[in-house]
């Protein structure tokens, strides 16, 4: 088996699925993870872990390692690595594809409040008079809620957050999806949750909380996705695999 010529920037279920699909099709891929979580779910095939050292260093790395195509399948909120990929692939003249799952869409019964970032989410919580909050935005950015002494927070994340970032009243729940409607309803009911905060991550693995909120008539504060560079983008693993295979 030769050296990989396709780099998948990963850390998502779609990235793992793409690695598996391409591997099954005989394409030698290398997946890259940031190394953020203590026990990452590993994709099929070769894996490297850790940052590249910024956009220019990534460009050098791509050339040194003979990478011929890059698929940026990172999370919709992983802004910096996507920006690095655009810069690096531009400099190194390597084709880049963005694989990004569609965001979530509210239905008529949903009570969603869209905000641009976590500080705005904190403001929205105060405006709504939230007292019992299920916070599912991850451990990064929690500092936006540190000063909120009015509400109690159930903070769900994969790895423990930094203690300095925690609000005065909280409980940390270490967990990782996929989540079920039954499980989310149980969490809401047993903790008397009155408001949910989420990023617009999209996808089926973590959307049960939105169905649970609808069932209980709860407001959800949804953080919009950050703006993206204009890059060729597909929404499905099959389309991303097709792009790689068509360029062989
Ligand atoms: P980020 O802010 O865009 O990236 C910060 C830095 O981490 C990047 O500049 C890069 O370091 C390094 N990095 C990020 N992703 C990498 C990858 N796949 N391979 C190698 N280096 C990577 O990213 P983040 O929001 O911290 O997310 C980190 C990872 O977790 C991403 O891979 C993402 O797919 C995954 N993830 C993120 C979220 C989220 O809500 N943000 C949720 C689920 C999973 P250098 O500049 O040194 O190259």
């Amino acid at each position: 088996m030769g050296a990989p010529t396709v780099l998948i920037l990963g850390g998502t279920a779609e990235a793992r699925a793409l690695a598996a699909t391409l591997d099954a099709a005989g394409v030698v891929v290398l997946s890259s993870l940031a190394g953020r979580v203590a026990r990452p779910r590993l994709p099929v095939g070769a894996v490297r872990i850790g940052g590249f050292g910024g956009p220019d260093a990534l460009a050098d790395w791509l050339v040194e390692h003979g990478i011929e195509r890059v698929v940026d399948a990172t999370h919709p909120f992983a802004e910096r690595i996507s920006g690095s990929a655009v810069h690096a692939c531009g400099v190194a003249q390597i084709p880049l594809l963005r694989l990004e799952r569609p965001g979530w869409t509210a239905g008529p019964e949903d009570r969603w409040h869209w905000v641009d970032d976590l500080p705005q989410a904190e403001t929205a919580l105060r405006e709504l008079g939230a007292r019992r909050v299920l916070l599912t935005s991850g451990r990064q950015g929690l500092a936006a809620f540190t000063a909120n002494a009015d509400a109690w927070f159930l903070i769900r994340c994969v790895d423990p957050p930094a203690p300095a970032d925690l609000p005065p009243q909280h409980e940390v729940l270490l967990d990782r999806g996929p989540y079920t409607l039954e499980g989310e309803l149980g969490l809401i009911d047993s903790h008397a949750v009155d408001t949910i905060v989420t990023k617009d991550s999209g996808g089926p693995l973590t959307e049960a909380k939105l169905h649970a909120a609808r069932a209980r008539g709860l407001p959800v504060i949804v953080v919009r996705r950050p703006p993206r560079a204009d890059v060729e983008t597909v929404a499905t693993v099959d389309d991303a695999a097709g792009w790689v295979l068509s360029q062989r």
Side-chain angles (χ1 to χ4, degrees), residues 221-235:
I221 297 168
V222 186
V223 182
R224 270 187 204 93
R225 293 180 174 191
R228 291 261 161 200
D230 189 13
V231 171
E232 183 178 358
T233 301
V234 295

Side-chain angles (χ1 to χ4, degrees), residues 183-222:
E184 299 295 54
L185 288 171
L187 202 63
I188 288 171
D189 293 345
S190 62
H191 292 86
V193 167
D194 63 24
T195 311
I196 296 176
V197 176
T198 182
K199 293 174 176 172
D200 179 19
S201 298
L205 301 184
T206 59
E207 74 178 347
K209 62 191 164 194
L210 303 172
H211 302 310
R214 184 184 307 155
R216 293 291 182 262
L218 300 184
V220 183
I221 297 168
V222 186

Side-chain angles (χ1 to χ4, degrees), residues 51-159:
F52 297 93
D56 289 322
L58 176 56
D60 293 343
W61 188 96
L62 293 172
V63 173
E64 277 163 26
H65 289 79
I67 298 298
E68 294 172 0
R69 280 142 293 166
V70 176
V71 180
D72 172 16
T74 58
H75 191 268
F77 283 80
E79 268 182 281
R80 276 170 51 201
I81 188 66
S82 291
S84 273
V86 172
H87 173 88
C89 289
V91 168
Q93 304 225 315
I94 293 170
L96 169 67
L97 182 76
R98 169 81 181 145
L99 167 57
E100 184 168 300
R101 64 180 89 129
W104 289 315
T105 309
E109 294 160 38
D110 288 319
R111 298 171 58 200
W112 293 9
H113 302 262
W114 288 92
V115 296
D116 288 336
D117 52 27
L118 291 172
Q120 280 191 15
E122 200 278 331
T123 303
L125 283 178
R126 291 180 189 274
E127 288 170 358
L128 288 168
R131 288 287 174 270
R132 311 269 310 170
V133 180
L134 172 57
L135 191 51
T136 66
S137 49
R139 67 183 168 141
Q140 294 183 66
L142 279 182
F145 303 93
T146 311
N148 190 327
D150 298 332
W152 173 88
F153 291 86
L154 180 58
I155 299 168
R156 183 167 69 189
C157 41
V158 177
D159 283 321

